[in-house]
Structure formats: structure tokens, C-alpha cells
Amino acid sequence: MSRISRIPWGAYSRTKRLVSRIPGGSWLVAWTDPLHIARRILWSTIKEHADYARGWVLDLGCGAQPYRSLFQHVDRYVSFDVSQGPQIDVRGTALALPFVDSAFHTVLCSEVLEHVPEPSRLLVEVERVLKPGGILILTTPQTWGLHLEPFDFYRYTKHGLRYLAEKSKLNVIELIPTCGMWATLTQRLSDTVIFNYAEGRNRWIVEGLSLLLAPVNLIGYGLDKLFGKRGDTLDHLMIAQKPQ
């Protein structure tokens, strides 16, 4: 149920057609994507922690499976989602997973927890299907606008995530922000302008604003790298383990 894999990309696709005609457009188009910072930091953060995964992996709420390529080293990758699709192995609800106890070595759950009305039940189910010593790799937003309404229920601080994990008998190994204030500020500015004010207007307005926002995104991302992950963050990543 990832916002990254399921948001409609009308504005982005139109901008891509424009920028692809510019020399070097293949590089520029990435930064005219109104969700590029969020996409980039989630990808890089999950990639940095992909080595935690092993054995059988359950991609819980897989959507379009944007991170599958990061887990080529595992034995089996099982995609699970509430919706149907040609690449989804199993369909069902995360609140009652159709798997036996201790079925998986790893569970990947990216940008799903905010869409679940009973997050504690999801984590209890994750703990159940993990083998002893198994790992949960989870990301979820702290600072983000409403999306996939009306199925958008919560935002999580690091303290809230730790509480939910420990309540579900999972031991937190790592709990980190994916970015800091500058990336958060420029990302929210970019997606708010495009999706709240520009989308649906004349395509030249959408494309022009997307191009104008590209250097703003670059500057914000650069400042975030320079000053570190301070202040508000877009998302948190949590690595948690089921006790042996």
C-alpha cells in the first residue's frame, strides 16, 4: 500500500515527456518528479539495510514491489497485498496473514503501517509469521500529507514505533530517520504544489512548475546531506527482531 508505488503520475509523466527533449533530460527528469526525494531516500535507506534480510522474505503490502531488486540474495521472495495483480503471489489482509507460524525469516513492510487501522494487530501477525530470530524491516512516515484516503490513519514518531514493536514482543535493533528537516521541507513543498495546486490545470503550468521546483529539491536534498538528519523527518526505518 505504498504511497511511492501507487500515486497516480499524470503530472510526472507529462513532465517526463517535456524534459526528455532537453539535453541531459534523463538526469533532470528524476528531480522534476514531485516525489523524487521521498523515493530516493526510501530506496537508499532500504538498500543500506537490505543485508538484514535472509531466507524466505515476505513483502507485506508490496504494491508494485519497488524494492524487490534489492533482495536478490534471499532464498525466496513472497509478495503480499490487499489488491490483486499479476505479480502478487498472495492476496489478503495484513491483520490476518494466511501463513503458518514461523513461516518467514524476514518481513519487509514499507509505507504500509499508516494505512492499517489496527497497527498493533499487524505487528502481532508479523511476529507470529517470523521465525525465531527473524527480522522485520519497516518504514513508515512521520511527516506526510493525506493519501489513499480514506485509508490513511496514522503518523509515527520513533517513540511510537518502539512502543508498538516492544508491545508485539519484537526487539528493536535500529530505529532511524530517513532524512532531516531540509529534505522534509522541500519534498513537502514540491508534492503540495504539484498535487494540490497544479494537477488538473494546463499541462504547461504543471510542467513549468515541475521544472522550477527541480533546483529547489536539489538544494534541499544537498542541505540535508550537509547538515545531517536533524529536525523533522519524512519517514523512519525500523529494524526489529523476533527473540530466539
mmCIF file of all heavy atoms in Angstrom, residues 45-73:
data_model
loop_
_atom_site.group_PDB
_atom_site.id
_atom_site.type_symbol
_atom_site.label_atom_id
_atom_site.label_comp_id
_atom_site.label_asym_id
_atom_site.label_seq_id
_atom_site.Cartn_x
_atom_site.Cartn_y
_atom_site.Cartn_z
ATOM 1 N N THR A 45 17.782 4.080 1.856
ATOM 2 C CA THR A 45 17.752 3.604 3.243
ATOM 3 C C THR A 45 17.476 2.107 3.303
ATOM 4 O O THR A 45 18.123 1.374 4.063
ATOM 5 C CB THR A 45 16.696 4.368 4.059
ATOM 6 O OG1 THR A 45 16.945 5.775 3.967
ATOM 7 C CG2 THR A 45 16.746 3.956 5.522
ATOM 8 N N ILE A 46 16.523 1.645 2.510
ATOM 9 C CA ILE A 46 16.237 0.206 2.482
ATOM 10 C C ILE A 46 17.422 -0.555 1.898
ATOM 11 O O ILE A 46 17.790 -1.631 2.391
ATOM 12 C CB ILE A 46 14.937 -0.065 1.706
ATOM 13 C CG1 ILE A 46 13.743 0.479 2.495
ATOM 14 C CG2 ILE A 46 14.756 -1.563 1.447
ATOM 15 C CD1 ILE A 46 12.427 0.404 1.760
ATOM 16 N N LYS A 47 18.039 -0.005 0.871
ATOM 17 C CA LYS A 47 19.214 -0.656 0.274
ATOM 18 C C LYS A 47 20.328 -0.814 1.306
ATOM 19 O O LYS A 47 20.979 -1.865 1.373
ATOM 20 C CB LYS A 47 19.715 0.154 -0.917
ATOM 21 C CG LYS A 47 20.915 -0.475 -1.616
ATOM 22 C CD LYS A 47 21.374 0.369 -2.795
ATOM 23 C CE LYS A 47 22.570 -0.273 -3.485
ATOM 24 N NZ LYS A 47 23.028 0.549 -4.646
ATOM 25 N N GLU A 48 20.559 0.221 2.123
ATOM 26 C CA GLU A 48 21.607 0.169 3.137
ATOM 27 C C GLU A 48 21.353 -0.908 4.191
ATOM 28 O O GLU A 48 22.291 -1.359 4.862
ATOM 29 C CB GLU A 48 21.737 1.536 3.818
ATOM 30 C CG GLU A 48 22.338 2.613 2.926
ATOM 31 C CD GLU A 48 22.178 4.002 3.530
ATOM 32 O OE1 GLU A 48 21.671 4.100 4.673
ATOM 33 O OE2 GLU A 48 22.535 4.984 2.855
ATOM 34 N N HIS A 49 20.090 -1.308 4.346
ATOM 35 C CA HIS A 49 19.734 -2.278 5.383
ATOM 36 C C HIS A 49 19.241 -3.606 4.801
ATOM 37 O O HIS A 49 18.765 -4.467 5.537
ATOM 38 C CB HIS A 49 18.664 -1.685 6.303
ATOM 39 C CG HIS A 49 19.137 -0.510 7.091
ATOM 40 N ND1 HIS A 49 19.213 0.766 6.564
ATOM 41 C CD2 HIS A 49 19.598 -0.408 8.366
ATOM 42 C CE1 HIS A 49 19.673 1.597 7.473
ATOM 43 N NE2 HIS A 49 19.923 0.909 8.575
ATOM 44 N N ALA A 50 19.378 -3.784 3.488
ATOM 45 C CA ALA A 50 18.868 -4.992 2.843
ATOM 46 C C ALA A 50 19.612 -6.249 3.285
ATOM 47 O O ALA A 50 19.073 -7.361 3.202
ATOM 48 C CB ALA A 50 18.940 -4.846 1.322
ATOM 49 N N ASP A 51 20.842 -6.094 3.765
ATOM 50 C CA ASP A 51 21.614 -7.266 4.188
ATOM 51 C C ASP A 51 21.032 -7.931 5.437
ATOM 52 O O ASP A 51 21.418 -9.056 5.776
ATOM 53 C CB ASP A 51 23.073 -6.879 4.442
ATOM 54 C CG ASP A 51 23.836 -6.651 3.139
ATOM 55 O OD1 ASP A 51 23.322 -7.059 2.082
ATOM 56 O OD2 ASP A 51 24.919 -6.052 3.181
ATOM 57 N N TYR A 52 20.141 -7.252 6.128
ATOM 58 C CA TYR A 52 19.452 -7.890 7.257
ATOM 59 C C TYR A 52 18.573 -9.044 6.780
ATOM 60 O O TYR A 52 18.284 -9.975 7.538
ATOM 61 C CB TYR A 52 18.571 -6.884 7.996
ATOM 62 C CG TYR A 52 19.290 -6.057 9.040
ATOM 63 C CD1 TYR A 52 19.617 -4.730 8.807
ATOM 64 C CD2 TYR A 52 19.622 -6.611 10.275
ATOM 65 C CE1 TYR A 52 20.258 -3.962 9.776
ATOM 66 C CE2 TYR A 52 20.255 -5.852 11.252
ATOM 67 C CZ TYR A 52 20.574 -4.532 10.991
ATOM 68 O OH TYR A 52 21.211 -3.786 11.948
ATOM 69 N N ALA A 53 18.109 -8.963 5.530
ATOM 70 C CA ALA A 53 17.187 -9.963 5.007
ATOM 71 C C ALA A 53 17.920 -11.253 4.673
ATOM 72 O O ALA A 53 19.068 -11.245 4.209
ATOM 73 C CB ALA A 53 16.490 -9.424 3.763
ATOM 74 N N ARG A 54 17.236 -12.370 4.876
ATOM 75 C CA ARG A 54 17.778 -13.687 4.527
ATOM 76 C C ARG A 54 16.620 -14.662 4.371
ATOM 77 O O ARG A 54 15.478 -14.369 4.747
ATOM 78 C CB ARG A 54 18.729 -14.189 5.621
ATOM 79 C CG ARG A 54 18.075 -14.305 6.993
ATOM 80 C CD ARG A 54 19.077 -14.660 8.077
ATOM 81 N NE ARG A 54 18.449 -14.704 9.400
ATOM 82 C CZ ARG A 54 17.805 -15.739 9.905
ATOM 83 N NH1 ARG A 54 17.712 -16.859 9.182
ATOM 84 N NH2 ARG A 54 17.263 -15.705 11.113
ATOM 85 N N GLY A 55 16.938 -15.816 3.820
ATOM 86 C CA GLY A 55 15.958 -16.884 3.724
ATOM 87 C C GLY A 55 14.715 -16.519 2.930
ATOM 88 O O GLY A 55 14.785 -15.943 1.854
ATOM 89 N N TRP A 56 13.561 -16.834 3.500
ATOM 90 C CA TRP A 56 12.266 -16.514 2.894
ATOM 91 C C TRP A 56 11.837 -15.124 3.347
ATOM 92 O O TRP A 56 11.775 -14.852 4.550
ATOM 93 C CB TRP A 56 11.215 -17.537 3.312
ATOM 94 C CG TRP A 56 11.319 -18.835 2.567
ATOM 95 C CD1 TRP A 56 12.458 -19.528 2.270
ATOM 96 C CD2 TRP A 56 10.230 -19.590 2.031
ATOM 97 N NE1 TRP A 56 12.164 -20.669 1.587
ATOM 98 C CE2 TRP A 56 10.791 -20.747 1.421
ATOM 99 C CE3 TRP A 56 8.850 -19.422 2.014
ATOM 100 C CZ2 TRP A 56 10.008 -21.707 0.795
ATOM 101 C CZ3 TRP A 56 8.063 -20.383 1.393
ATOM 102 C CH2 TRP A 56 8.643 -21.511 0.784
ATOM 103 N N VAL A 57 11.533 -14.255 2.370
ATOM 104 C CA VAL A 57 11.145 -12.866 2.640
ATOM 105 C C VAL A 57 9.693 -12.652 2.247
ATOM 106 O O VAL A 57 9.279 -13.016 1.141
ATOM 107 C CB VAL A 57 12.038 -11.882 1.865
ATOM 108 C CG1 VAL A 57 11.557 -10.444 2.056
ATOM 109 C CG2 VAL A 57 13.495 -12.012 2.303
ATOM 110 N N LEU A 58 8.929 -12.043 3.146
ATOM 111 C CA LEU A 58 7.548 -11.640 2.856
ATOM 112 C C LEU A 58 7.518 -10.130 2.666
ATOM 113 O O LEU A 58 7.853 -9.374 3.570
ATOM 114 C CB LEU A 58 6.621 -12.024 4.012
ATOM 115 C CG LEU A 58 5.166 -11.519 3.917
ATOM 116 C CD1 LEU A 58 4.454 -12.134 2.724
ATOM 117 C CD2 LEU A 58 4.412 -11.801 5.213
ATOM 118 N N ASP A 59 7.139 -9.694 1.460
ATOM 119 C CA ASP A 59 6.941 -8.267 1.177
ATOM 120 C C ASP A 59 5.482 -7.956 1.479
ATOM 121 O O ASP A 59 4.592 -8.216 0.669
ATOM 122 C CB ASP A 59 7.292 -7.957 -0.272
ATOM 123 C CG ASP A 59 7.270 -6.461 -0.577
ATOM 124 O OD1 ASP A 59 6.756 -5.687 0.253
ATOM 125 O OD2 ASP A 59 7.761 -6.075 -1.651
ATOM 126 N N LEU A 60 5.251 -7.382 2.646
ATOM 127 C CA LEU A 60 3.906 -7.183 3.178
ATOM 128 C C LEU A 60 3.360 -5.828 2.731
ATOM 129 O O LEU A 60 3.863 -4.779 3.121
ATOM 130 C CB LEU A 60 3.958 -7.249 4.712
ATOM 131 C CG LEU A 60 2.656 -7.094 5.494
ATOM 132 C CD1 LEU A 60 1.638 -8.128 5.064
ATOM 133 C CD2 LEU A 60 2.937 -7.202 6.979
ATOM 134 N N GLY A 61 2.312 -5.847 1.881
ATOM 135 C CA GLY A 61 1.815 -4.618 1.279
ATOM 136 C C GLY A 61 2.727 -4.181 0.161
ATOM 137 O O GLY A 61 3.168 -3.040 0.108
ATOM 138 N N CYS A 62 3.014 -5.103 -0.755
ATOM 139 C CA CYS A 62 4.105 -4.927 -1.720
ATOM 140 C C CYS A 62 3.835 -3.876 -2.789
ATOM 141 O O CYS A 62 4.775 -3.312 -3.345
ATOM 142 C CB CYS A 62 4.407 -6.261 -2.382
ATOM 143 S SG CYS A 62 3.002 -6.964 -3.300
ATOM 144 N N GLY A 63 2.557 -3.611 -3.129
ATOM 145 C CA GLY A 63 2.273 -2.667 -4.204
ATOM 146 C C GLY A 63 2.938 -3.116 -5.496
ATOM 147 O O GLY A 63 2.812 -4.254 -5.926
ATOM 148 N N ALA A 64 3.706 -2.231 -6.109
ATOM 149 C CA ALA A 64 4.417 -2.534 -7.355
ATOM 150 C C ALA A 64 5.792 -3.147 -7.101
ATOM 151 O O ALA A 64 6.589 -3.282 -8.025
ATOM 152 C CB ALA A 64 4.557 -1.266 -8.196
ATOM 153 N N GLN A 65 6.084 -3.508 -5.856
ATOM 154 C CA GLN A 65 7.341 -4.158 -5.468
ATOM 155 C C GLN A 65 8.581 -3.357 -5.891
ATOM 156 O O GLN A 65 9.476 -3.880 -6.558
ATOM 157 C CB GLN A 65 7.398 -5.571 -6.041
ATOM 158 C CG GLN A 65 6.207 -6.436 -5.655
ATOM 159 C CD GLN A 65 6.205 -7.774 -6.344
ATOM 160 O OE1 GLN A 65 7.196 -8.488 -6.353
ATOM 161 N NE2 GLN A 65 5.070 -8.108 -6.950
ATOM 162 N N PRO A 66 8.668 -2.082 -5.496
ATOM 163 C CA PRO A 66 9.785 -1.248 -5.947
ATOM 164 C C PRO A 66 11.136 -1.646 -5.364
ATOM 165 O O PRO A 66 12.173 -1.201 -5.873
ATOM 166 C CB PRO A 66 9.374 0.153 -5.474
ATOM 167 C CG PRO A 66 8.470 -0.094 -4.303
ATOM 168 C CD PRO A 66 7.719 -1.338 -4.646
ATOM 169 N N TYR A 67 11.152 -2.501 -4.328
ATOM 170 C CA TYR A 67 12.422 -2.837 -3.677
ATOM 171 C C TYR A 67 12.838 -4.288 -3.923
ATOM 172 O O TYR A 67 13.837 -4.742 -3.365
ATOM 173 C CB TYR A 67 12.317 -2.575 -2.163
ATOM 174 C CG TYR A 67 11.793 -1.188 -1.868
ATOM 175 C CD1 TYR A 67 10.520 -1.011 -1.322
ATOM 176 C CD2 TYR A 67 12.540 -0.064 -2.187
ATOM 177 C CE1 TYR A 67 10.028 0.265 -1.082
ATOM 178 C CE2 TYR A 67 12.049 1.208 -1.957
ATOM 179 C CZ TYR A 67 10.794 1.366 -1.402
ATOM 180 O OH TYR A 67 10.306 2.628 -1.180
ATOM 181 N N ARG A 68 12.102 -4.988 -4.752
ATOM 182 C CA ARG A 68 12.379 -6.411 -4.952
ATOM 183 C C ARG A 68 13.814 -6.656 -5.426
ATOM 184 O O ARG A 68 14.462 -7.641 -5.024
ATOM 185 C CB ARG A 68 11.387 -7.005 -5.934
ATOM 186 C CG ARG A 68 11.537 -8.511 -6.094
ATOM 187 C CD ARG A 68 10.360 -9.137 -6.818
ATOM 188 N NE ARG A 68 10.408 -10.590 -6.740
ATOM 189 C CZ ARG A 68 9.349 -11.370 -6.794
ATOM 190 N NH1 ARG A 68 8.147 -10.846 -6.910
ATOM 191 N NH2 ARG A 68 9.479 -12.680 -6.724
ATOM 192 N N SER A 69 14.317 -5.795 -6.278
ATOM 193 C CA SER A 69 15.666 -5.985 -6.829
ATOM 194 C C SER A 69 16.758 -5.896 -5.774
ATOM 195 O O SER A 69 17.888 -6.338 -6.006
ATOM 196 C CB SER A 69 15.930 -4.953 -7.931
ATOM 197 O OG SER A 69 15.927 -3.637 -7.394
ATOM 198 N N LEU A 70 16.437 -5.326 -4.608
ATOM 199 C CA LEU A 70 17.424 -5.196 -3.542
ATOM 200 C C LEU A 70 17.599 -6.494 -2.755
ATOM 201 O O LEU A 70 18.503 -6.589 -1.923
ATOM 202 C CB LEU A 70 17.015 -4.079 -2.575
ATOM 203 C CG LEU A 70 16.865 -2.682 -3.174
ATOM 204 C CD1 LEU A 70 16.406 -1.703 -2.097
ATOM 205 C CD2 LEU A 70 18.172 -2.215 -3.794
ATOM 206 N N PHE A 71 16.755 -7.483 -3.022
ATOM 207 C CA PHE A 71 16.755 -8.704 -2.222
ATOM 208 C C PHE A 71 17.017 -9.945 -3.073
ATOM 209 O O PHE A 71 16.433 -11.001 -2.863
ATOM 210 C CB PHE A 71 15.421 -8.830 -1.476
ATOM 211 C CG PHE A 71 15.185 -7.703 -0.500
ATOM 212 C CD1 PHE A 71 14.486 -6.573 -0.893
ATOM 213 C CD2 PHE A 71 15.679 -7.757 0.783
ATOM 214 C CE1 PHE A 71 14.281 -5.521 -0.006
ATOM 215 C CE2 PHE A 71 15.486 -6.725 1.673
ATOM 216 C CZ PHE A 71 14.785 -5.596 1.282
ATOM 217 N N GLN A 72 17.941 -9.811 -4.029
ATOM 218 C CA GLN A 72 18.287 -10.931 -4.894
ATOM 219 C C GLN A 72 19.054 -12.019 -4.145
ATOM 220 O O GLN A 72 19.154 -13.157 -4.626
ATOM 221 C CB GLN A 72 19.132 -10.430 -6.078
ATOM 222 C CG GLN A 72 18.421 -9.430 -6.977
ATOM 223 C CD GLN A 72 17.216 -10.032 -7.683
ATOM 224 O OE1 GLN A 72 17.279 -11.163 -8.154
ATOM 225 N NE2 GLN A 72 16.117 -9.291 -7.749
ATOM 226 N N HIS A 73 19.600 -11.683 -2.974
ATOM 227 C CA HIS A 73 20.423 -12.644 -2.233
ATOM 228 C C HIS A 73 19.601 -13.595 -1.362
ATOM 229 O O HIS A 73 20.166 -14.493 -0.743
ATOM 230 C CB HIS A 73 21.403 -11.880 -1.342
ATOM 231 C CG HIS A 73 20.736 -10.987 -0.332
ATOM 232 N ND1 HIS A 73 20.118 -9.800 -0.687
ATOM 233 C CD2 HIS A 73 20.576 -11.113 1.019
ATOM 234 C CE1 HIS A 73 19.621 -9.224 0.403
ATOM 235 N NE2 HIS A 73 19.883 -10.006 1.445
#
